[in-house]
Amino acid sequence: MAMLQFDDEGAKRTDRLYASPDVVAQRNVVLALLAPRPGERVLDVGSGPGYLLESIARAVGPSGAAHGLDPSAAMNALAAARTGELPWVHLDEGDATALPYPDDTFDAAVSTQVYEYVPDVPAALAELRRVLKPGGRALILDTDADSLVWHTSDLERHRRVLDAWDEHLAHPRLPRELSALLKRAGFSVTGHHVHPILNPELTPDSFSATQMHIVAEFVAGRRGVTTAEAEAWLADLRERADRNAYFYSLNRYLFTAVAP
Ligand SMILES: C[S@@+](CC[C@H](N)C(=O)[O-])C[C@H]1O[C@@H](n2cnc3c(N)ncnc32)[C@H](O)[C@@H]1O
């Protein structure tokens, strides 16, 4: 298994993670920057469990259209359940590098936490540009792995865990490349923003409370990290939380752009 799998179990975990207050706050920033308006046709590339798609659909209303595209049938099933009452939502199974839409279709498009999984990002951005109308708005959000601050007791073990965790993405440090890639694809970049996910304490509904289990399971058996080491890494984080010595911070980088 190369990257994270978005099968039934993976999709349900992502669903839980994306319901956390930390990710709700992130979505509010995305929506404010994207500013979908009534009557607009908007695409969400890699729409996953469909939380953002539902909000976009409510903003564009029945005179508009909200299209979600994802290669994972399990993710699309979650999104369909979430948006079933909104007939102007359309879901397609497909890949960011081969969008199943004609040229000049959308007023706006968004893709959050997706291009970092896509091996050929220039091809995905060329497709995004193709399906946007001239002047159409794009918003892209991705994480840079080097922005992670996670307070652990064994720094050497932690570094090996994070090196193995890098393997869950095709591009763990994509944000630093995105401005240049967008410009090369013909977009005008109109804004850069950073949104931190900050968990100074470990509460059951915090983002890192779910993420630490996903990381521990993924890294066991990779890059020389044993199952026992992954479990010890996890136990250390829990123990630090018990004695008020927990800290987690991770940056999401947002880019707004306009198609020519
Ligand atoms: C971390 S989830 C993000 C979901 C959603 N965008 C959100 O922010 O709530 C990553 C999503 O990207 C999708 N994905 C992975 N590779 C893709 C590709 N090549 N094209 C389109 N979507 C892809 C996955 O199936 C998954 O739903």
Side-chain angles (χ1 to χ4, degrees):
M1 185 174 88
M3 289 189 276
L4 262 191
Q5 298 301 297
F6 294 103
D7 52 11
D8 280 351
E9 190 46 42
K12 279 184 199 140
R13 271 191 171 156
T14 306
D15 195 64
R16 268 200 303 281
L17 199 63
Y18 285 25
S20 70
D22 292 315
V23 184
V24 172
Q26 173 189 299
R27 262 197 306 280
N28 289 338
V29 172
V30 169
L31 280 167
L33 286 170
L34 185 68
R37 293 186 287 267
E40 285 191 324
R41 184 172 289 273
V42 179
L43 172 65
D44 185 355
V45 179
S47 41
Y51 286 100
L52 181 61
L53 188 65
E54 181 193 2
S55 301
I56 290 169
R58 294 197 186 282
V60 299
S63 63
H67 290 251
L69 174 109
D70 205 286
S72 158
M75 284 295 195
N76 275 348
L78 290 172
R82 187 150 285 124
T83 57
E85 291 171 3
L86 308 172
W88 59 99
V89 171
H90 309 276
L91 284 163
D92 288 298
E93 236 174 87
D95 193 282
T97 57
L99 298 176
Y101 312 105
D103 297 0
D104 303 345
T105 300
F106 296 102
D107 299 293
V110 63
S111 192
T112 64
Q113 294 285 117
V114 173
Y115 289 139
E116 58 197 33
Y117 290 92
V118 177
D120 191 348
V121 178
L125 292 178
E127 276 293 88
L128 193 69
R129 175 187 162 177
R130 180 184 66 74
V131 301
L132 279 168
K133 296 175 184 171
R137 311 175 321 271
L139 188 155
I140 296 168
L141 175 149
D142 281 290
T143 302
D144 191 306
D146 287 349
S147 70
L148 175 63
V149 180
W150 212 342
H151 201 9
T152 58
S153 308
D154 183 337
L155 203 52
E156 191 273 332
R157 180 181 63 204
H158 185 55
R159 289 214 175 100
R160 287 191 298 111
V161 165
L162 293 188
D163 281 349
W165 176 236
D166 270 359
E167 290 185 3
H168 87 287
L169 295 171
H171 307 287
R173 292 162 186 80
L174 183 60
R176 61 189 71 180
E177 313 280 353
L178 263 173
S179 267
L181 289 169
L182 279 161
K183 286 178 196 160
R184 225 171 287 154
F187 285 95
S188 299
V189 177
T190 52
H192 306 88
H193 306 265
V194 61
H195 179 76
I197 292 182
L198 180 62
N199 297 157
E201 292 169 3
L202 186 64
T203 57
D205 65 354
S206 56
F207 178 84
S208 59
T210 300
Q211 201 202 23
M212 63 170 67
H213 292 281
I214 298 174
V215 173
E217 189 175 302
F218 183 84
V219 300
R222 288 177 191 265
R223 298 270 192 118
V225 179
T226 64
T227 301
E229 281 177 314
E231 281 168 5
W233 174 83
L234 192 58
D236 172 56
L237 290 173
R238 287 209 205 92
E239 187 272 330
R240 295 192 69 89
D242 288 345
R243 61 183 166 88
N244 293 322
Y246 187 81
F247 187 89
Y248 173 97
S249 173
L250 178 71
N251 286 348
R252 262 75 200 271
Y253 296 91
L254 300 94
F255 299 81
T256 54
V258 173

